Amino acid sequence: MNRATVATPNRGVRRHTGLRAYGYLAPAAVLFTLFLALPIVYALYLSLRTVKVKGLGLGRGARTEVWAGLSNYRHALVGDPDFLGSVGRVALYGLVLVPTMLGLALLFALLLDARGARARGFSRVSIFLPYAVPAVIASLLWGFLYLPRVSPFLYVAGRLGWPQPDVLSQQWVTFAIANIGLWGGVGFNMIVIYTALKAIPSELYEAARLDGASEAAIAWRIKVPVVAPSLILTFLFSMIATLQVFAEPMTLRPLTNTISSTWSPLMKVYRDAFTRNDIYSAAATSVVIALATFVLSFGFLRLVQRRAFSQENS
Amino acid sequence: MATVVSGPQVASARPAAPSRRVSSSARRPNRIGTVVLLIGALYCLMPVVWVLTASTKSANELFSTLTFVPSTHLWDNIRELSAYRGGLYWRWMANTALYAGVGALASTLVSAMAGYGLAKFVFPGKRAVFNVILAGVLVPGVVLAIPQYLLLAKVGLTNTYWSVLLPSMISPYGIYLARIYAAASVPDDVIEAARTDGAREWRVFGSISVPMMMPGLVTVFLFQFVAIWNNFMLPYIMLGNDRLFPITVGLSGLLNQGASQPAMYTSVITGALLSILPLGALFLTLQRYWQVDLAAGAVKA
């Protein structure tokens, strides 16, 4: 086959090698179908089904699976205060976390890139280090640091005679969880933005520097606009991660009773599927979360005119 | 994401700055900036320092001595943790290494092949395939976990190593990145020349294209390795037998036990410390690869 393709004119080569492309794509296609496409289709199917119970639900044939139409969705969206509550909590969590995390990541990246600051190598490694710590472990460490008997902050506050708020109380627990996300995520996003900053040719702002522009003005007027595509992508990925927050609240649960089993939408999906054995409404809720992610992602990308991925759509 | 190893910033070739004021303002030490960076570094290091000191304390000292004052019980704590149910903790550690190592390696190979196929071949449906993969990047992965569980349960694969390994092998983002690396780093004429010399397709890929894509593939591997190492929900859902647990699920279970027997807490904390060490060491040694451009761009070697 090789010799044949070599011998044929250019068009023939392209056609033959084109067929080979399917060989390269085959493993990815099989895995994509089995572990992405099929689960999505299956979740859609389950979300439209339900179980009908005859009599006491005992014996053979007493429980039958039937089509349920959109009733699972109606229940998830309108009839279930647990779901709406979890959406509200995660919305607040995201509103606190994402702007803080990206704002700090941008600030740190600009300082790393600026000329004057010292201890940049040490700071870069230290701030990036939490990315190596799994969310479960991070939650565990912060969980202990939140306990009044361990927390150094509360100790200092107590010594100074300040109030010592219980960070795991109903009022603060969302912020306590957002802080864990911030700790784990700020370094990674900083590196993304910093990498984009390093790619800016210095001629771009050398002229401004010669004209006497301050470092702050250069950062704000030149550097931030140039790294906008990176900011867009970090925002997008942070938003997706926010919608599926699961490990942090699940890990903190044993330390406090202010985190319910339906604190985040995904925790509710987990409870429905495995505690209540109601895989149908769990599937409907998963589909709603996935759709919300798509709508938010594409809406956001449209809003910023697809600047991030556009150069790759060749 | 580009794996750029950039040297010190090359000064621009302009003649010496005409005004003194400019160069002095550019060199003036930025004290506020330094302080802000150090506060950020302290915030990020604080929990790590805490776990270092806390793991040296005995169960009594944990809640009674000052937070950052170390004690002398680290070795006892490690021995106690290692003795827990016949060294179960170390089994979790080995499991995590297996899931992350094998899963990331397989995922990198699958991504490299698919990315290369997408970048270097013309075939019908290419654009559609690429769009499907882009959409796959945006699918919230953990939403898939429950239907994945139900489907794997149908074929009896849940509660096995495969139930965590197989779903970890596909990464749309990895394919997306590999496509960009292949397009940027493997020139068409090199492939054509190798083919003209009669090299077989697999040889062209394995001996010519893969080495050229290698810096990018290392980054794909690291990304996927960290993602699997950090994953909680997938193994939490898939596995029931605690001898198959990765470290995240295992420690989360230990913490649950600690709620009823606080003596467990020292084991949990020591376990947390030991679990951070391997990945922390990996990060420090591979620092130069961690220059991350999410939408890629040029790959310079």
Side-chain angles (χ1 to χ4, degrees), chain A residues 17-18 20 22 24 35 42 118 132 137 144 150 153 155 179 183 191-192 195 209 244 254 266 269 309 313, chain B residues 22 34 43-44 46 50 66-67 121-122 124 127 142 146-148 154 176 201 205 230 251 256 279 290 292:
Chain A
T17 58
R20 289 181 201 167
Y22 296 117
Y24 282 109
F35 297 105
Y42 190 55
R118 289 171 186 278
I137 311 293
F144 280 105
V150 180
F153 305 109
Y155 174 79
N179 176 56
W183 186 76
I191 293 290
V192 172
T195 306
R209 197 168 272 154
Q244 34 184 329
L266 226 61
V269 170
F309 279 109
N313 261 338
Chain B
V22 173
T34 309
Y43 164 73
C44 288
M46 205 251 307
W50 175 79
L66 278 174
T67 306
F121 293 90
V122 182
R127 208 189 156 80
V142 282
I146 284 171
Q148 279 172 350
K154 280 188 197 295
Y176 168 82
E201 188 59 41
F205 179 69
N230 289 354
L251 279 182
N256 258 312
L279 217 52
W290 291 105
V292 186

Side-chain angles (χ1 to χ4, degrees), chain B residues 177-246:
Chain B
L177 291 176
R179 173 188 166 277
I180 288 164
Y181 296 137
S185 62
V186 187
D188 283 332
D189 12 336
V190 173
I191 301 175
E192 286 301 321
R195 284 195 188 129
T196 316
D197 289 347
R200 285 169 186 281
E201 188 59 41
W202 266 107
R203 254 192 92 74
V204 176
F205 179 69
S207 323
I208 296 169
S209 307
V210 165
M212 285 177 145
M213 292 163 71
M214 197 47 94
L217 294 182
V218 170
T219 325
V220 172
F221 176 84
L222 285 177
F223 249 93
Q224 194 65 5
F225 188 89
V226 174
I228 302 172
W229 187 285
N230 289 354
N231 200 344
F232 172 67
M233 189 172 181
L234 183 73
Y236 184 67
I237 286 178
M238 292 290 178
L239 305 172
N241 175 359
D242 61 11
R243 296 186 64 75
L244 301 180
F245 282 178

Side-chain angles (χ1 to χ4, degrees), chain A residues 144-226:
Chain A
F144 280 105
L145 285 172
Y146 289 153
L147 293 178
R149 277 187 297 174
V150 180
S151 170
F153 305 109
L154 295 177
Y155 174 79
V156 171
R159 276 296 170 96
L160 293 172
W162 293 349
Q164 295 165 276
D166 177 5
V167 279
L168 288 174
S169 64
Q170 201 69 53
Q171 192 185 353
W172 296 109
V173 74
T174 303
F175 295 91
I177 298 172
N179 176 56
I180 300 171
L182 173 70
W183 186 76
V186 70
F188 176 76
N189 290 299
M190 174 190 78
I191 293 290
V192 172
I193 299 167
Y194 181 60
T195 306
L197 284 172
K198 295 281 270 190
I200 302 177
S202 57
E203 298 91 69
L204 251 178
Y205 44 81
E206 206 60 43
R209 197 168 272 154
L210 287 175
D211 288 342
S214 68
E215 287 291 317
I218 291 171
W220 189 247
R221 296 270 175 80
I222 300 175
K223 291 182 179 176
V224 171
V226 174

Side-chain angles (χ1 to χ4, degrees), chain A residues 19 25-26 35 45 64 83 90 105 109 112 126 134 149 151 163 197 209 211 225-226 231 247 261 275 314:
Chain A
L19 280 178
L25 284 164
F35 297 105
Y45 169 78
T64 43
F83 181 62
V90 162
L112 288 180
S126 307
R149 277 187 297 174
S151 170
L197 284 172
R209 197 168 272 154
D211 288 342
V226 174
L231 287 173
S261 62
T275 314
S314 54

